Amino acid sequence: MPINLPGRFRGRGLLLAGAASTAALILPKTRAFAANTAGQLPLILRPAPGRANILGPGQPSTDVLAYNSQISGPVLRLTQDQEFRAEIVNGLDQGTTVHWHGLRIPVAMDGVPGISQPPIPPGEKFNATYTPPDAGTFWYHPHLHTAHQMGRGLAGALIVDEAQKQPFDRELLWVLQDWQFEADGQFVPGFDTPMEAGMGGRIGDVVTINGVVPSPVAVRAGERIRLRLINACLARFMSLAFTGHDVRVLALDGQPVLTPFAPRDGRVLIGPAQRVDLLLEASGEPGQRYPVTDDFYGGSMDYQLVNLAYTAQARIPGRTASWQVTLPPNPVPKPDLSNPVRHRLTIVGGMMGSGLGNGTGGGMMGGMGMMMGDNAANQPPIWGIRDKAGLNSGMTPMFTIPLGKTVVITLDNQTAFWHPMHLHGYSFTVLSHNNVPEPQPILRDTVILQPQDQVEIAFAADNPGDWMFHCHVIQHQESGLMTVIRVA
Ligand code: C2O
Ligand code: CU
Ligand code: CU
């Protein structure tokens, strides 16, 4: 992979991962946000500049953008089928929005400037009100100047709890982010350079869990843990191995799987914007440490993310055999595959690829500026999505699906790069990967395409509106790897 990793912090994630570190925000930390709903005041979510100690004690702090002075943002805990209200107060010096990634809510609440709402100007407010239909692991982030705003820290977990308590001993939440630092602890500037955008996007040199360089996670032998993973990185894919543990996948992108399964090759693959809920049975020995490693990029880019540090306590009695648990399904309508609308979308562009070719008409540039970083707005698209009508790199709807119909979309990656493709407003079913049907129906809102991959997805178009469909390597999105699908 064409990644530039010379930074002096490159080894730091690895070295510090085993050491105790309690990184603290220099900003006053607001209370972790509890619940929200019925009869309570709306949550106030305030994105603003601040300073945070991401690199840990004794290390320089960083100028960041943070929700409520927290990196990552406050954990929002909603309850399935209960109304949520938030007041977003823009403390930034530029417009912003908040997008609730993965929630199947009305398009007016989707946080996409130009579709859902105008940008919230500096100093102004926006009221978000919606009722989450699905329980699961989701997240929130801005949808304007996203590489700049999200890349400097604006992202947080959004957990929708099932109405019934689930039978785990404990939950762990890991919001995974990576950052590219200068030697003085500031972020490397230029979040929208065409070089990064045309390649794999910005892959940083320090990976954090919940906004800090990880310290060991205490675990008691025998515990049954629901581990929620959120990849909130701009561009980094991860392939996590839980040494000494047989983890099982419970849910993908918030949606429970029918039958929990062991990840392929013992590796939990999680691309930008994806979530994985794992059953982590603490089958290790008291007093021992077990590393969690990431070898996605291989070679010198392998690193240890964190250690599971078992306490000296004896194993919880009766916790020896492996445990069967499934999460309750969400009410996602099943696609009707008897007579679907079909579309084929080809992903093109980037460096080392075929280029965009003809058809990058001026008409497609119109909507781009709004979604782009400040500099990128003046640059031609690097990426695009082609269908039979031509090339699309912007905010014009590519096609319309009649409300209530099922659509099957074949995605074809004709580029030299990996793309986590994300659809707003829906959880789609992944039907097949390179013509191999999925062994069980998998629901996702973000699906990974490797170079030359073909993936077939389907969904019942029950949520009307204009829905963005884009790559979640943010610099790819902002340089053209996006379109809009209209359901009407
Ligand atoms: Cu996380 Cu347009 O999405
Ligand atoms: Cu989204
Ligand atoms: Cu991409």
Side-chain angles (χ1 to χ4, degrees):
M1 291 291 294
I3 298 133
N4 160 28
L5 272 175
R8 74 172 249 235
F9 293 102
R10 160 66 190 126
R12 190 176 295 264
L14 199 148
L15 291 173
L16 283 190
S21 75
T22 43
L25 286 181
I26 290 173
L27 288 161
K29 206 166 179 173
T30 52
R31 196 169 53 85
F33 169 67
N36 52 80
T37 43
Q40 295 189 26
L41 291 174
L43 158 78
I44 293 174
L45 204 55
R46 185 170 183 277
R51 246 179 120 74
N53 189 351
I54 296 171
L55 287 163
Q59 301 299 330
S61 58
T62 310
D63 291 322
V64 297
L65 303 177
Y67 289 115
N68 299 8
S69 305
Q70 294 179 49
I71 300 274
S72 45
V75 178
L76 308 187
R77 275 212 104 105
L78 286 61
T79 305
Q80 187 173 19
D81 293 328
Q82 287 190 27
E83 185 179 86
F84 168 77
R85 288 189 293 145
E87 185 178 79
I88 300 149
V89 182
N90 186 0
L92 305 170
D93 62 6
Q94 61 179 186
T96 193
T97 61
V98 177
H99 170 60
W100 320 93
H101 181 119
L103 295 188
R104 298 185 302 120
I105 54 178
V107 72
M109 288 295 128
D110 198 40
V112 175
I115 292 177
S116 308
Q117 63 179 90
I120 311 165
E124 298 201 13
K125 297 176 180 175
F126 178 83
N127 286 305
T129 307
Y130 58 81
T131 303
D134 300 329
T137 306
F138 302 95
W139 64 299
Y140 62 97
H141 63 77
H143 225 290
L144 182 64
H145 312 296
T146 314
H148 166 75
Q149 293 187 7
M150 195 179 107
R152 287 184 164 80
L154 291 177
L158 190 161
I159 309 298
V160 183
D161 282 312
E162 297 81 7
Q164 313 285 318
K165 194 175 165 358
Q166 298 302 303
F168 303 92
D169 294 325
R170 190 154 69 103
E171 273 194 24
L172 280 175
L173 168 66
W174 292 358
V175 179
L176 302 164
Q177 286 165 294
D178 84 332
W179 320 86
Q180 195 171 26
F181 288 102
E182 306 267 29
D184 64 356
Q186 298 300 335
F187 295 133
V188 173
F191 282 84
D192 43 22
T193 63
M195 190 60 185
E196 286 180 6
M199 309 276 270
R202 174 170 294 207
I203 293 157
D205 38 32
V206 174
V207 176
T208 58
I209 295 180
N210 303 335
V212 292
V213 169
S215 41
V217 174
V219 168
R220 178 176 178 189
E223 276 190 304
R224 294 164 171 169
I225 297 169
R226 177 181 187 168
L227 172 58
R228 300 176 188 263
L229 302 172
I230 300 175
N231 184 334
C233 301
L234 287 177
R236 179 184 281 274
F237 290 77
M238 297 183 187
S239 179
L240 300 178
F242 290 75
T243 314
H245 293 78
D246 293 319
V247 294
R248 267 167 292 156
V249 174
L250 296 173
L252 295 167
D253 294 354
Q255 301 295 350
V257 299
L258 232 47
T259 311
F261 58 90
R264 196 181 307 160
D265 306 324
R267 295 287 190 282
V268 180
L269 176 65
I270 180 166
Q274 292 189 318
R275 287 89 62 216
V276 181
D277 284 39
L278 290 177
L279 171 62
L280 173 63
E281 287 182 290
S283 53
E285 295 302 321
Q288 298 297 306
R289 285 184 172 216
Y290 298 86
V292 179
T293 57
D294 173 10
D295 64 357
F296 180 84
Y297 297 99
S300 66
M301 287 191 68
D302 290 356
Y303 65 102
Q304 180 178 306
L305 175 66
V306 70
N307 258 312
L308 301 178
Y310 278 65
T311 64
Q313 271 179 300
R315 183 175 312 281
I316 300 172
R319 298 288 173 83
T320 43
S322 96
W323 181 49
Q324 304 302 317
V325 64
T326 52
L327 296 169
N330 286 317
V332 180
K334 279 215 169 47
D336 171 8
L337 297 173
S338 62
N339 184 26
V341 183
R342 285 184 185 273
H343 287 276
R344 182 182 187 87
L345 302 183
T346 306
I347 300 167
V348 292
M351 310 258 188
M352 296 149 37
S354 47
L356 293 183
N358 306 325
T360 314
M364 272 167 250
M365 297 297 293
M368 280 186 73
M370 178 160 280
M371 304 303 300
M372 308 278 267
D374 305 319
N375 302 331
N378 307 319
Q379 292 160 1
I382 298 170
W383 304 89
I385 298 176
R386 194 190 297 285
D387 80 342
K388 51 182 180 299
L391 185 67
N392 207 305
S393 295
M395 298 294 286
T396 319
M398 192 164 208
F399 52 79
T400 301
I401 305 163
L403 184 62
K405 266 299 237 186
T406 286
V407 61
V408 173
I409 301 176
T410 306
L411 302 169
D412 181 2
N413 179 11
Q414 293 294 333
T415 77
F417 292 88
W418 290 52
H419 304 289
M421 297 302 298
H422 168 53
L423 177 64
H424 284 216
Y426 286 90
S427 290
F428 51 78
T429 302
V430 181
L431 298 177
S432 70
H433 206 116
N434 296 328
N435 295 313
V436 181
E438 287 289 334
Q440 61 170 305
I442 295 291
L443 287 165
R444 300 220 73 135
D445 58 54
T446 306
V447 67
I448 294 174
L449 276 89
Q450 298 183 34
Q452 310 308 316
D453 265 6
Q454 293 195 13
V455 171
E456 242 186 341
I457 65 171
F459 60 93
D462 66 336
N463 194 1
D466 284 1
W467 299 105
M468 283 201 77
F469 179 63
H470 65 83
C471 180
H472 223 289
V473 169
I474 298 297
Q475 291 149 319
H476 290 178
Q477 175 204 338
E478 293 192 331
S479 54
L481 224 180
M482 63 170 160
T483 189
V484 171
I485 294 174
R486 175 167 291 173
V487 175

